[in-house]
Amino acid sequence: MSVFIIRRLLQSLLVVFVMSLLVFFGVNVVGDPVDMLVNPEMTQADIEATIRALGLDRPIHEQYWHFLTNALEADLGKSFIFGEPALKLILQRMPATLELAFVSLVLSVVIGLPLGVYAGLNPESRVSRTIMAGSILGFSLPTFWVGLMLIMIFAVLLGWLPSTGRGDTVEVLGVSVSFLTLDGLSHLLLPAFNLALTNISLVIRLSRAGTREVAQQDYVKFARAKGLGRRRIIFVHVLKNIMIPVVTVLGLEFGGLIAFSVVTETIFAWPGMGKLLIDSVQNLDRPVIVAYLMITVLFFIVINLVVDLLYSLLDPRVRLQDVKA
């Protein structure tokens, strides 16, 4: 097991280094932030002083080396616009994005898994066909359009839920959360469901396919022959065996929820990292963009590592094969 973990950690470090190269050089070849930052009335001497202060007068490889050495000390640079550490700006908005992504993930499992298992156990019923048709719609409909329709129906026409903002928050271990207040929960439901829609459809299809396959296995037939109840067969024999692909995919999708919640946060004016990224791209605030992308990469790597470990716990053959390789 330790060899398996060490190998995964070394692979993760290599990925972080390669991604730092791609992200830093990719962001620094797009546009010139000086055009966005200098006042047209500034003198040439002031402009050159600003460029030196931002470190943009150095060759690109020196800028990267400066970024890399500082990154090892958790310093990802200062925002050109706010003059504050980029990491601090992102961390201030991270709780809102993490909360939105986590609630979306919970909704994906709570809604998608029962529907998928039901559709797998009753493939020919009309309800199952309706569920599968709904899952296709969940994949097909654009996120921004669904978000606008949710606002139109539940906020404008019915007036049941607020359309924008985060609502009241409370402090839990120094972190602001909104799902523990009624007002915050009402603000959270629409954006969380909008962000979860694709994953709900994904979980439905994965769990349906897994249930249909597992239901034909000999151990399930044997369990039925022993007279075990339907509920026990589902919870003990079916769910355990269909969870491996569901856990793997949801783990990978959680990183996607964090990284690509930009559309949902913009539509619902959710004060998370996505809004900060949009503003930074518009202002060519390179340190914030690079910091955001590197944090996103780290999220994906950590989540993949956790998924690999969970996968190896669920199926020990995985780590054995990895060690032999």
Side-chain angles (χ1 to χ4, degrees):
M1 187 68 177
S2 58
V3 174
F4 178 79
I5 295 175
I6 291 172
R7 179 171 292 182
R8 285 289 183 270
L9 288 174
L10 292 176
Q11 290 172 348
S12 301
L13 289 175
L14 179 63
V15 171
V16 170
F17 175 68
V18 173
M19 288 306 300
S20 72
L21 280 169
L22 295 175
V23 167
F24 189 86
F25 286 95
V27 170
N28 278 272
V29 297
V30 178
D32 187 354
V34 176
D35 295 336
M36 308 291 293
L37 298 171
V38 299
N39 189 320
E41 298 179 356
M42 290 175 68
T43 64
Q44 186 60 33
D46 291 335
I47 294 174
E48 291 176 356
T50 302
I51 292 174
R52 283 195 299 275
L54 297 176
L56 297 175
D57 58 325
R58 303 175 186 174
I60 186 70
H61 64 276
E62 286 187 16
Q63 292 183 43
Y64 173 71
W65 180 250
H66 182 71
F67 163 78
L68 193 63
T69 53
N70 286 340
L72 295 176
E73 300 174 356
D75 180 4
L76 298 179
K78 280 190 176 181
S79 165
F80 292 163
I81 304 299
F82 300 100
E84 295 185 23
L87 187 59
K88 177 184 174 185
L89 292 172
I90 293 173
L91 290 179
Q92 287 174 344
R93 291 163 174 80
M94 188 179 291
T97 297
L98 287 178
E99 181 180 44
L100 183 62
F102 182 74
V103 174
S104 300
L105 198 66
V106 171
L107 287 178
S108 303
V109 176
V110 170
I111 298 175
L113 194 59
L115 293 178
V117 171
Y118 179 86
L121 294 174
N122 307 279
E124 301 302 328
S125 72
R126 187 174 297 176
V127 175
S128 297
R129 291 175 180 172
T130 304
I131 291 172
M132 298 314 295
S135 71
I136 295 174
L137 279 178
F139 276 122
S140 308
L141 296 175
T143 302
F144 72 92
W145 185 84
V146 175
L148 292 176
M149 289 300 102
L150 289 174
I151 291 174
M152 182 64 71
I153 295 171
F154 292 101
V156 178
L157 295 180
L158 300 176
W160 290 353
L161 295 169
S163 59
T164 59
R166 198 181 177 196
D168 295 339
T169 60
V170 294
E171 296 278 337
V172 177
L173 300 176
V175 178
S176 297
V177 296
S178 60
F179 68 91
L180 293 179
T181 67
L182 190 59
D183 182 60
L185 194 59
S186 66
H187 283 78
L188 184 58
L189 283 179
L190 287 184
F193 180 77
N194 186 54
L195 190 60
L197 192 58
T198 303
N199 281 340
I200 291 173
S201 304
L202 189 61
V203 172
I204 287 175
R205 302 192 78 81
L206 281 174
S207 53
R208 175 184 180 272
T211 302
R212 293 200 64 179
E213 183 181 348
V214 170
Q216 302 302 320
Q217 298 298 316
D218 290 339
Y219 57 85
V220 174
K221 293 178 181 176
F222 184 66
R224 288 200 192 101
K226 284 171 58 181
L228 295 181
R230 181 181 173 90
R231 181 175 298 179
R232 180 174 174 79
I233 292 174
I234 292 173
F235 283 96
V236 175
H237 297 285
V238 175
L239 277 181
K240 180 181 177 183
N241 288 284
I242 68 172
M243 285 308 290
I244 290 178
V246 173
V247 167
T248 304
V249 172
L250 283 183
L252 297 174
E253 288 296 317
F254 185 66
L257 289 176
I258 296 170
F260 308 119
S261 61
V262 176
V263 175
T264 297
E265 289 188 5
T266 303
I267 293 172
F268 291 92
W270 187 260
M273 296 190 297
K275 181 70 166 56
L276 177 65
L277 177 65
I278 293 293
D279 294 340
S280 300
V281 170
Q282 289 175 342
N283 295 312
L284 285 178
D285 198 351
R286 287 177 178 173
V288 177
I289 300 172
V290 172
Y292 175 89
L293 294 176
M294 288 307 302
I295 288 173
T296 302
V297 169
L298 288 175
F299 265 123
F300 272 104
I301 289 173
V302 171
I303 290 169
N304 277 322
L305 184 61
V306 172
V307 169
D308 282 345
L309 294 176
L310 286 176
Y311 202 88
S312 68
L313 290 175
L314 291 170
D315 187 354
R317 292 172 299 177
V318 174
R319 60 174 181 267
L320 290 176
Q321 290 171 359
D322 190 81
V323 170
K324 288 177 181 177

